[in-house]
Amino acid sequence: APHFLLLAAALLWGQSLWSSALLNLGYVGLMRAGWETAGSAQEATRLLETAADRGEGAALWGLGMLARWQGDEARSRSLWMEQLGRTPQSLLLLYVLFAGDVEFAQEAHRLYPRSWLAAYWLGEVMAPRDLPAAIALYEETLAEDNANGVRWVELGWLYRRNGQLEQALAAYDRGCALRHRGGNGCWQAGLLSQELGMNQQAADYYRRTLRQIPGYAPALARLAGLGE
């Protein structure tokens, strides 16, 4: 079968991006074809285990998928956790799949303490449980990449939920200054400024919102309410 040929070719190719690509094509092909017989699943498992023993992180992904389809969720998690440790490149993929998973997020941050994504991931899952811890993780994230306006705005939300309004306004302002990468930083800064009674500053932020999002109706309405 062509899917097994792809897996076999990956074994011959050795450690390379092409090898990983062939492994992925092989087991994705098997997924689509479906394995009606136990023998095809066993053969796929054998080939992928051989690649995993050789250090191929993509093979662990395939083995995890096989385990999940066979109803062994604990084994699939164990394999993907092992993949996380072996291949830093899998961090983004596993974040997408397990964004709300505390165990995966904690392990990612333990393994890659200097990764902004690992810190961001753990901050996300900690936010509903421990706001100060989440804030510290977001701050850690921005220490690694302070040009991401969206994360500044998210940090502003956390500060605001924690009652740190001055810090929230400063974070929104950073997001606003980063323009198109800042999401709705100017808008959030305007709302908080108005809430704090700083109406002229709020109007300035609403105007900046309109420069970034021309015709934004809520900002126009706020300006009208302020007599601007």
Side-chain angles (χ1 to χ4, degrees), residues 108-116 118-119 140 144:
H109 191 253
R110 185 190 71 79
L111 289 167
Y112 308 111
R114 295 188 60 78
S115 165
W116 70 262
E140 179 183 324
E144 295 293 327

Side-chain angles (χ1 to χ4, degrees), residues 160 164-166 168-169 172 187-198 206:
R160 188 166 186 172
Q164 298 172 260
L165 299 186
E166 183 178 339
L169 187 56
Y172 289 148
W187 171 245
Q188 293 295 334
L191 292 176
L192 183 52
S193 295
Q194 189 172 1
E195 182 181 313
L196 295 173
M198 298 182 288
Y206 294 144

Side-chain angles (χ1 to χ4, degrees), residues 4-83:
F4 290 118
L5 291 176
L6 286 169
L7 290 172
L11 298 182
L12 296 174
W13 210 290
Q15 292 278 8
S16 71
L17 290 175
W18 283 109
S19 176
S20 295
L22 288 169
L23 281 164
N24 279 283
L25 286 170
Y27 69 71
V28 168
L30 284 167
M31 288 183 226
R32 290 179 176 172
W35 332 289
E36 287 79 6
T37 68
S40 60
Q42 289 168 357
E43 179 65 8
T45 300
R46 185 187 67 78
L47 288 168
L48 289 167
E49 284 177 345
T50 300
D53 289 343
R54 196 183 62 198
E56 283 283 358
L60 291 168
W61 169 249
L63 287 167
M65 292 301 292
L66 282 167
R68 173 168 281 189
W69 292 326
Q70 292 167 344
D72 193 342
E73 186 67 25
R75 175 166 164 74
S76 71
R77 284 180 64 87
S78 174
L79 287 161
W80 288 333
M81 193 71 78
E82 183 180 350
Q83 181 188 14

Side-chain angles (χ1 to χ4, degrees), residues 125-146:
V125 300
M126 291 302 295
R129 301 166 173 83
D130 186 342
L131 264 180
I135 286 169
L137 286 159
Y138 271 74
E139 291 171 339
E140 179 183 324
T141 298
L142 286 161
E144 295 293 327
D145 177 15
N146 66 5

